Amino acid sequence: MKRDNISLDSYKDLQHRFTKDKIETYSDMILGMPGETYDSFVNGISSIIENGQHNRIQFGNLSILPNAEMGDPAYQKKYGMEIIETEIINIHGSLLDNEEIYEHQQMVIATNSMPSKEWVRARAICWMTAFLHFDKAMQIPFIMLHKLCDLTFRELIEAFACKKTNTFPIISGIYAFFLAEAEKIQNGGPEYCESKKWLNIWWPADELQLITLCTEDRLQNFYKEAEKLLLLLLKENSIEFPTKLLHQAIQLNFNLVKLPLQTENQEINLSYNIWDFYQNHLIGIDIPIEEKPYKHIINRTELSWVSWEQWCKEVIWYGNKKGAYLYKLQTIDDEFLPSYLEQNPEEQ
């Protein structure tokens, strides 16, 4: 690129410090850089998450700026850069914007180190990563399996790049959608998904899939498939892991997903300290998993949304950078339960 930045060691040190100090950040990654391969790109995603980035990686497609080093035809030839002209569309931009002059960009959709099909795979993995980890669909079990089973985030995410339509119809359907959207971009289509139904705006593909699962009441079935898929991954890697622990981690994640039209808080009982384990990891502290009864209250009434439209706007759209898609949860010790119920009679 002929551009200098801080070293990776300095980046990792800063990320760890921000994480421990509970300072929320997000990271940018650019897809299609010269010399980048599918493997190096996906390993980079995994490394960024493992170093403490749990709020958001913002994935951008490489575009050529005028007078930049990459604008030189000899440079482009050297790296086998395939470039198309496409319209610039803003994330969450309105479909009603009537610009007299539309801006265009020169977007890189393949290089000699990342051919066309590999670019499509990488672009789909970007959305799958966002959906599973940063939209919080599977963040709790992912962190647990990474820490306790030494599985990389790449292994966890790529397990969901599934084409077994008979066994995993929902998960394979999500992946097929991401592949199709990537191919559309390569053919000059928009970088975001048009939705007249949901707020009449351009959605990232991952957010639109989350909206679709929730509004079509398929979220619970997604988690059932996810549990089967992760059990298969553990078996393929000859990893013994308590099935009850995995089940409860997945169920906790499912019950924490913010949804509209909720009028009551929810009690959930776990056999492990999954929530404490997860929360501590988010700030860079590792604690062991312990097996003993835990009673939790999921706070579904402090924040509420009276329609799917309001939820789309205030949770999915506005929560993008921070990934604020999960409810708050309070742990209730048995000795404190009577006083808690006195203060919260609606829980009785």
Side-chain angles (χ1 to χ4, degrees):
M1 288 179 66
K2 303 294 179 70
R3 290 177 61 183
D4 292 326
N5 209 325
I6 62 173
S7 69
L8 285 177
D9 287 340
S10 295
Y11 166 79
K12 290 176 181 178
D13 178 60
L14 288 170
Q15 184 63 62
H16 284 137
R17 287 168 58 187
F18 287 138
T19 299
K20 288 181 179 179
D21 291 340
K22 301 182 182 181
I23 297 173
E24 295 169 330
T25 66
Y26 68 91
S27 303
D28 285 326
M29 287 189 72
I30 301 175
L31 174 63
M33 297 297 295
E36 187 89 86
T37 66
Y38 172 85
D39 285 332
S40 69
F41 186 76
V42 180
N43 285 337
I45 293 173
S46 192
S47 176
I48 288 172
I49 298 173
E50 286 162 15
N51 279 293
Q53 180 53 272
H54 300 297
N55 295 312
R56 178 67 62 184
I57 294 177
Q58 188 167 268
F59 297 103
N61 301 315
L62 175 61
S63 75
I64 306 298
L65 299 178
N67 301 317
E69 184 81 15
M70 292 183 190
D72 184 348
Y75 183 102
Q76 296 169 13
K77 182 179 180 180
K78 177 181 178 181
Y79 292 102
M81 298 168 74
E82 296 180 29
I83 301 168
I84 60 168
E85 183 172 288
T86 183
E87 208 170 278
I88 295 177
I89 293 173
N90 294 320
I91 183 173
H92 302 127
S94 173
L95 301 181
L96 300 178
D97 286 345
N98 294 314
E99 300 285 347
E100 293 184 7
I101 300 176
Y102 289 94
E103 290 188 273
H104 289 78
Q105 61 183 332
Q106 304 296 311
M107 184 192 297
V108 177
I109 45 87
T111 64
N112 54 15
S113 59
M114 189 183 287
S116 178
K117 289 184 178 180
E118 295 291 279
W119 187 96
V120 167
R121 286 180 64 211
R123 181 66 262 189
I125 286 294
C126 293
W127 285 318
M128 188 63 83
T129 301
F131 171 75
L132 295 170
H133 196 74
F134 299 115
D135 299 347
K136 303 298 194 290
M138 288 294 292
Q139 192 176 93
I140 295 174
F142 270 19
I143 285 176
M144 187 179 69
L145 290 173
H146 167 65
K147 295 301 296 182
L148 300 181
C149 301
D150 202 27
L151 288 167
T152 67
F153 283 96
R154 174 178 179 172
E155 290 174 300
L156 293 164
I157 293 162
E158 284 189 324
F160 285 74
C162 173
K163 295 184 178 180
K164 299 178 181 178
T165 55
N166 292 330
T167 311
F168 304 104
I170 293 176
I171 292 171
S172 62
I174 292 170
Y175 184 54
F177 178 81
F178 292 156
L179 290 173
E181 289 301 311
E183 289 172 352
K184 286 180 185 178
I185 293 174
Q186 277 195 331
N187 292 320
E191 295 180 88
Y192 300 102
C193 302
E194 177 183 77
S195 178
K196 295 179 180 178
K197 183 175 182 180
W198 301 115
L199 305 184
N200 219 27
I201 64 174
W202 294 99
W203 288 100
D206 58 288
E207 292 182 355
L208 188 58
Q209 280 299 293
L210 180 59
I211 290 169
T212 300
L213 283 184
C214 292
T215 57
E216 293 182 358
D217 197 23
R218 294 191 294 134
L219 192 64
Q220 186 170 18
N221 287 334
F222 162 78
Y223 281 103
K224 290 179 180 178
E225 286 189 17
E227 185 170 348
K228 288 170 55 180
L229 187 64
L230 290 177
L231 286 171
L232 181 61
L233 177 66
L234 292 169
K235 183 179 179 180
E236 290 174 346
N237 286 274
S238 301
I239 297 172
E240 294 186 5
F241 192 80
T243 55
K244 183 170 70 171
L245 175 55
L246 177 61
H247 175 74
Q248 290 191 3
I250 289 173
Q251 286 301 302
L252 176 62
N253 207 134
F254 166 55
N255 283 289
L256 284 171
V257 174
K258 292 177 179 176
L259 292 171
L261 310 170
Q262 304 299 306
T263 58
E264 296 180 353
N265 293 337
Q266 179 184 3
E267 180 182 309
I268 184 167
N269 296 294
L270 302 175
S271 305
Y272 304 86
N273 60 330
I274 299 170
W275 180 248
D276 288 340
F277 180 89
Y278 167 67
Q279 287 291 299
N280 274 279
H281 180 80
L282 291 182
I283 57 173
I285 299 173
D286 292 332
I287 64 170
I289 278 285
E290 297 178 349
E291 185 174 7
K292 74 173 194 176
Y294 289 87
K295 187 187 298 289
H296 304 285
I297 301 295
I298 298 175
N299 190 339
R300 293 185 166 188
T301 56
E302 180 180 344
L303 296 173
S304 60
W305 305 274
V306 298
S307 68
W308 284 109
E309 289 75 13
Q310 184 188 17
W311 172 82
C312 282
K313 187 174 186 178
E314 297 182 7
V315 176
I316 307 301
W317 176 359
Y318 293 174
N320 177 276
K321 291 291 188 295
K322 295 183 178 181
Y325 302 123
L326 302 182
Y327 286 113
K328 293 179 180 179
L329 183 144
Q330 183 176 3
T331 302
I332 306 298
D333 293 330
D334 287 339
E335 60 183 298
F336 297 121
L337 186 58
S339 60
Y340 174 84
L341 291 176
E342 287 179 9
Q343 299 170 24
N344 302 269
E346 70 278 4
E347 300 301 331
Q348 301 189 50

